[in-house]
Amino acid sequence: YQYTIMKRYFLSALLMLWCVCTQATTVTNPMLWADVPDPDVIRVGNYYYMVSTTMHLMPGAPVMRSADLAHWETVSYLFDRLTDSPKYDMNEGTVYGRGQWATSLKYHDGMFYALFAPNDNPGGDTYIYKTADPTGKWTLHSRMKHFHDASLFFDDDGRVYVFSGTGRLQELNRELTGLQPGGVDMTVVRNDEEDNGLLEGSRVVKHNGKYYLLMISWPRGGKRRQLCYRADKITGPYEKKKILEDNFAGFPYVGQGTIVDGADGKWYGVIFQDRGAVGRVLTLMPCRWEDGWPMLGNAEGKIPLVMPAAATSGSVPASQTASLVFSDRFDSDRLGMHWQWNHNPVDAAWSLTERHGFLRLKTSRVAGNIYAAPNTISQRMEGPRCTATVTMDIKNMKDGDRAGFAAFNGHSGLLTIGRDGKKTWIAMSTAVVDLDNKTKAITGVTEKELQRTDNIKSGKMWLRIDADFNLHKDIATFYYSTDGKRWKEIGQPFKMQFDYRRLFMGTRYAIFNYATKKAGGYVDVDDFTYHCDDKDNGVK
């Protein structure tokens, strides 16, 4: 294993040297070392567009754009909020780990379409959004029956289909408002003796007249892997082939994503990998057509550590970053697309205009813990290591208020500023949430305070969290300062976790403020300063 890793690094170094000499762009995997699960990627003209899962976060279903499959920027969200259930407002339950899942992205006759089935109510609705401009506003086109982990597909003859679940194929009407009466409704792929576990994550493309259904397999007692099912007709019969099985860089096996044709004539695979507390990260790899099969990885079927990015048209500039996380001085009257709220925000309880250059977070109701608190705002964390600092004016906190900065997940590490009476303190603690399996209602939060400093006199606080997501690490370390210059470590290094039974996403930097006694207080966040050790995430 060590020999294989050394060989990969040696070959990658040679490729990087060649690219430097030729001024080509390279990508170091993971292409995005951040939580971007369930990707679907399409190319329209010279741009690639990608959609991902963000579940209970608002706005939701981020749409990202790239000119080279290396540099990505968030250009829109499908929706600002979901309102079908009070659970989206954290009333009568929550949608932690549910909400928007596994969106399918397609382009047809001048329109972009996105299909997803919110997982807050399995058996409920599927949403189809559309737009002519994916950098602008999306509109809800229709709602219909639930399709799990679905892939929308427009065929050349104008007929429209949805692949979902484990190989289910159903035909939609051409208006995309429901099933086609008397249309195709059948199962085209089933488990077999070899792939006898879960099959999911449908993605469908058509190439050279053949249909390709990509799914991941979780064989009982086996390794996660990417499968491809191929047929001459959309209804089958389908034949199967394993196209990727690799535990890249020592992390768990890579699987679930799609393939996309490049503007340069090449094909690429974009597949995610579970990497512990940071979440599910994206890897980019060649897609080699061999005997009519889209084989993923290099000639050995492995994900390359370094590979060339897709060639770009000279008329289409690439964005300047491969990061999805940004510093912010809050000097705009609009919130940047890099921020998302935990569940639907209370719009009357936050402002960028009441005090210019600050994000004001007001308490709007009494909450017992961070998991029940409205208006917690967050960004992803990134690997391999990252650090973020928040500057916060706390003079207008009220008795019982709790504000601070968190490594937020189902298992959270918290830097909390508390005000009790006229006294202010800061503490580092841990919190683990328990949720009802059906409603995701909060049934309990186990909190453990590891260190507290009393009698804080400063009206302004600086809070910092450093995170290390290298293999076998997943450690967050907490610091505070009362002058922005001298830092004090507080508490203990915190072992971050990814837990699919709770929030089912990567750990995030989160800024919070909630009341435990009476609403009405507020804090003003002056800035959020962020740095990643590999800011360009390996893009050269």
Side-chain angles (χ1 to χ4, degrees), residues 58-59 80-81 88-89 341-350 374-375:
M58 303 291 168
D80 291 329
R81 60 176 64 219
Y88 285 103
D89 298 316
W341 301 98
N342 179 18
H343 290 67
N344 287 333
V346 179
D347 285 337
W350 70 276
N375 286 21

Side-chain angles (χ1 to χ4, degrees), residues 40 42 48-54 59-66 72-79 100 103 105 112-114 129 131 133-136 138 324 337 340 380:
D40 202 4
I42 62 173
Y48 303 89
Y49 297 90
M50 176 168 65
V51 66
S52 180
T53 295
T54 50
V63 178
M64 290 157 270
R65 185 177 71 173
S66 174
W72 292 92
E73 58 179 338
T74 302
V75 294
S76 66
Y77 288 90
L78 295 188
F79 55 85
Q100 171 262 340
T103 300
L105 184 64
F112 291 80
Y113 294 91
Y129 280 80
T131 185
D133 178 9
T135 68
W138 293 75
L324 300 175
M337 288 191 181
Q340 289 177 283
R380 297 171 179 87

Side-chain angles (χ1 to χ4, degrees), residues 69-107:
L69 289 173
H71 303 82
W72 292 92
E73 58 179 338
T74 302
V75 294
S76 66
Y77 288 90
L78 295 188
F79 55 85
D80 291 329
R81 60 176 64 219
L82 294 176
T83 59
D84 287 345
S85 166
K87 292 186 288 186
Y88 285 103
D89 298 316
M90 291 191 287
N91 295 321
E92 303 176 23
T94 74
V95 289
Y96 282 124
R98 293 185 177 171
Q100 171 262 340
W101 271 32
T103 300
S104 174
L105 184 64
K106 295 295 182 183
Y107 179 77

Side-chain angles (χ1 to χ4, degrees), residues 100-362:
Q100 171 262 340
W101 271 32
T103 300
S104 174
L105 184 64
K106 295 295 182 183
Y107 179 77
H108 179 68
D109 285 349
M111 295 292 292
F112 291 80
Y113 294 91
L115 177 150
F116 69 91
N119 206 35
D120 61 285
N121 181 27
D125 286 355
T126 288
Y127 295 68
I128 294 181
Y129 280 80
K130 70 177 183 179
T131 185
D133 178 9
T135 68
K137 184 174 177 58
W138 293 75
T139 58
L140 179 60
H141 174 73
S142 64
R143 295 167 63 160
M144 62 188 74
K145 69 181 292 292
H146 187 92
F147 300 107
H148 175 70
D149 264 16
S151 182
L152 182 64
F153 180 74
F154 294 90
D155 210 345
D156 299 334
D157 59 4
R159 297 172 73 175
V160 191
Y161 302 88
V162 172
F163 289 80
S164 65
T166 299
R168 182 83 176 272
L169 172 64
Q170 294 170 281
E171 186 175 356
L172 302 183
N173 60 37
R174 299 196 182 198
E175 294 76 29
L176 304 182
T177 57
L179 293 177
Q180 174 68 22
V184 173
D185 188 346
M186 61 188 297
T187 297
V188 296
V189 167
R190 287 183 169 88
N191 300 54
D192 55 29
E193 292 184 0
E194 181 184 26
D195 291 292
N196 52 18
L198 182 65
L199 295 175
E200 61 178 350
S202 300
R203 292 290 180 249
V204 181
V205 299
K206 190 174 185 180
H207 178 60
N208 287 344
K210 292 184 182 291
Y211 299 87
Y212 295 87
L213 168 61
L214 275 68
M215 301 185 78
I216 60 164
S217 169
W218 294 79
R220 287 186 286 271
K223 302 168 183 175
R224 175 176 176 160
R225 57 204 194 145
Q226 189 73 51
L227 300 179
C228 179
Y229 294 85
R230 183 181 72 178
D232 294 322
K233 296 180 180 180
I234 196 166
T235 54
Y238 283 81
E239 52 184 332
K240 181 188 76 172
K241 192 174 186 64
K242 179 181 71 176
I243 60 173
L244 179 69
E245 184 178 282
D246 186 14
N247 60 336
F248 173 62
F251 289 90
Y253 280 78
V254 179
Q256 194 165 336
T258 192
I259 59 176
V260 62
D261 63 317
D264 53 7
K266 300 177 182 178
W267 281 73
Y268 299 87
V270 180
I271 312 290
F272 80 68
Q273 179 184 38
D274 289 88
R275 284 212 171 187
V278 77
R280 294 171 285 176
V281 308
L282 286 190
T283 62
L284 178 68
M285 65 200 72
C287 175
R288 301 167 289 109
W289 289 96
E290 297 181 356
D291 298 324
W293 290 100
M295 305 305 296
L296 295 176
N298 58 23
E300 299 174 341
K302 301 297 182 181
I303 298 168
L305 178 65
V306 180
M307 66 171 285
T312 60
S313 165
S315 62
V316 180
S319 68
Q320 298 302 306
T321 180
S323 174
L324 300 175
V325 189
F326 297 95
S327 298
D328 201 329
R329 296 186 60 82
F330 302 111
D331 51 5
S332 171
D333 61 357
R334 295 178 62 88
L335 200 61
M337 288 191 181
H338 43 286
W339 293 107
Q340 289 177 283
W341 301 98
N342 179 18
H343 290 67
N344 287 333
V346 179
D347 285 337
W350 70 276
S351 174
L352 287 165
T353 59
E354 291 183 14
R355 185 181 178 187
H356 181 70
F358 292 79
L359 169 62
R360 178 162 292 178
L361 297 177
K362 308 173 187 178

Side-chain angles (χ1 to χ4, degrees), residues 70 397 415:
M397 292 178 66
L415 262 180

